[in-house]
Amino acid sequence: MNTNYGRNNSKGYVFALLATALWSGNFIVARDLSETIPPVSLAFWRWVIALLVLTPFALRQFMRDWPFLKKKMGYLLVTSFFGVTAFNTLLYMAGRTTSALNLSLISISFPIFIIIISRFYYKEKITLAKVLGIILVFLGVSLIITKGSLAVLLELSFSMGDIWMLVAAIIFAVYSILLKQKPKEVGLYSFQFTTFTLGLLMLLPFYLLETTFVPEVHYDTNTILSLVYVGIAASLLAYVFWNKAVLLIGPTKSGMVYYTLPLFSGVLAFFILNESLGINHLYSAILIFSGILISTKNKGEV
């Protein structure tokens, strides 16, 4: 029993890390395409691509699970709206009016919202270890984002985009907690297929409305490749990995792993944008992983 628990725990952390690594590229795409394609269109085509790729693998399981899915349609609609329709659309809206620094700082607040919501929803205790862990990872993330300069934090200014990102963080926290309630009779692929489809259908009216007010988008090679990335890697694969992580180790522990996102973004920027990696990144990594280990050591957590 303990061996199986440890194996599942390890798999859960690996899945959470994989999802976070793939999502780190999503922030780069959000910033890169902010002036090229409007936010709802970016979100819409992202999920169209994800659904097209997923369908051949999920259709048979979906047909098998349909009787169970029908019984949980209310839950599926709410989960789809939070995780598919709203979250990434708000993220892309935020990317148009705020800086990359603000996006990164606000996005990492979502694990804290998971802990707060879990306290009321699951009656989960906020232990001293959790508080200490959160402090360590926050220091680590702040160090990597500000490059160790207090002046960077003091010079921060806020805009409407920051509010959108904060709402997105809360929404993704709720989505992650809702994943814990996924019906056991429903397979992961059919669950993803259903939420992607419902979320896309709820996004469709906003997409049609947006296309009537914005100029026609020119889909060049960079835009198409970016859409393929966010559709397959940051949507399909990342969501499958994240859902598996939440089912194995719970939303709180998965949320703490999400704090590694700035580390992945830094490595990605090093290889793609030729940005430098310094000693701050090493110190940040030590603080973040120490905080994750301390805050998630209790096996009894949700």
Side-chain angles (χ1 to χ4, degrees):
M1 178 67 74
N2 289 336
T3 303
N4 288 335
Y5 177 88
R7 189 180 296 116
N8 288 336
N9 237 17
S10 299
K11 286 182 179 179
Y13 285 115
V14 170
F15 285 135
L17 278 170
L18 288 172
T20 302
L22 293 174
W23 277 327
S24 66
N26 190 34
F27 283 88
I28 292 178
V29 171
R31 296 192 299 268
D32 184 47
L33 297 184
S34 62
E35 301 298 326
T36 306
I37 179 171
V40 179
S41 296
L42 178 53
F44 178 81
W45 289 112
R46 162 189 180 145
W47 293 113
V48 167
I49 293 170
L51 190 58
L52 287 174
V53 175
L54 176 62
T55 298
F57 303 97
L59 202 54
R60 180 178 295 181
Q61 190 180 87
F62 169 77
M63 297 299 292
R64 183 200 69 193
D65 294 342
W66 177 240
F68 301 106
L69 291 166
K70 283 194 299 184
K71 296 177 182 178
K72 296 291 183 178
M73 193 52 63
Y75 159 78
L76 291 167
L77 283 167
V78 173
T79 304
S80 302
F81 177 79
F82 280 112
V84 177
T85 306
F87 170 62
N88 285 282
T89 306
L90 290 172
L91 188 155
Y92 296 143
M93 289 172 65
R96 294 174 70 86
T97 56
T98 191
S99 67
L101 175 59
N102 287 33
L103 272 181
S104 300
L105 279 171
I106 298 170
S107 70
I108 61 167
S109 66
F110 113 81
I112 298 175
F113 290 121
I114 286 182
I115 292 174
I116 294 172
I117 296 171
S118 295
R119 173 68 183 91
F120 294 99
Y121 196 81
Y122 288 119
K123 307 300 180 184
E124 181 183 342
K125 293 181 179 179
I126 301 179
T127 62
L128 181 61
K130 268 185 190 168
V131 173
L132 179 59
I134 290 172
I135 291 172
L136 286 175
V137 294
F138 182 78
L139 289 174
V141 170
S142 298
L143 180 62
I144 198 172
I145 291 174
T146 63
K147 299 179 175 63
S149 173
L150 180 62
V152 175
L153 284 177
L154 296 177
E155 292 171 2
L156 281 177
S157 59
F158 296 93
S159 66
M160 190 63 196
D162 300 309
I163 297 177
W164 289 129
M165 191 63 236
L166 182 63
V167 175
I170 296 171
I171 281 174
F172 195 69
V174 174
Y175 169 74
S176 297
I177 290 173
L178 286 171
L179 289 178
K180 193 69 178 174
Q181 300 178 33
K182 183 186 83 66
K184 294 181 179 180
E185 304 90 349
V186 175
L188 183 58
Y189 289 156
S190 59
F191 175 78
Q192 295 289 182
F193 178 82
T194 305
T195 54
F196 285 9
T197 302
L198 292 174
L200 188 60
L201 288 173
M202 286 186 279
L203 189 60
L204 179 59
F206 299 100
Y207 167 72
L208 294 175
L209 183 64
E210 183 182 74
T211 56
T212 62
F213 290 102
V214 299
E216 185 177 352
V217 178
H218 175 61
Y219 292 93
D220 57 18
T221 302
N222 178 62
T223 304
I224 293 173
L225 289 176
S226 298
L227 284 171
V228 170
Y229 173 81
V230 296
I232 297 176
S235 296
L236 177 57
L237 294 178
Y239 270 68
V240 168
F241 292 149
W242 187 255
N243 289 359
K244 285 188 175 184
V246 170
L247 292 174
L248 287 171
I249 60 176
T252 300
K253 291 180 179 179
S254 299
M256 293 303 295
V257 175
Y258 186 83
Y259 278 114
T260 61
L261 187 141
L263 298 177
F264 287 114
S265 296
V267 172
L268 206 59
F270 173 77
F271 287 106
I272 296 177
L273 304 176
N274 295 318
E275 294 185 3
S276 61
L277 290 174
I279 192 66
N280 285 339
H281 292 82
L282 175 60
Y283 293 149
S284 297
I286 293 172
L287 286 169
I288 290 170
F289 283 109
S290 297
I292 291 171
L293 287 173
I294 291 172
S295 64
T296 59
K297 66 180 181 179
N298 184 359
K299 292 185 179 182
E301 291 175 353
V302 179

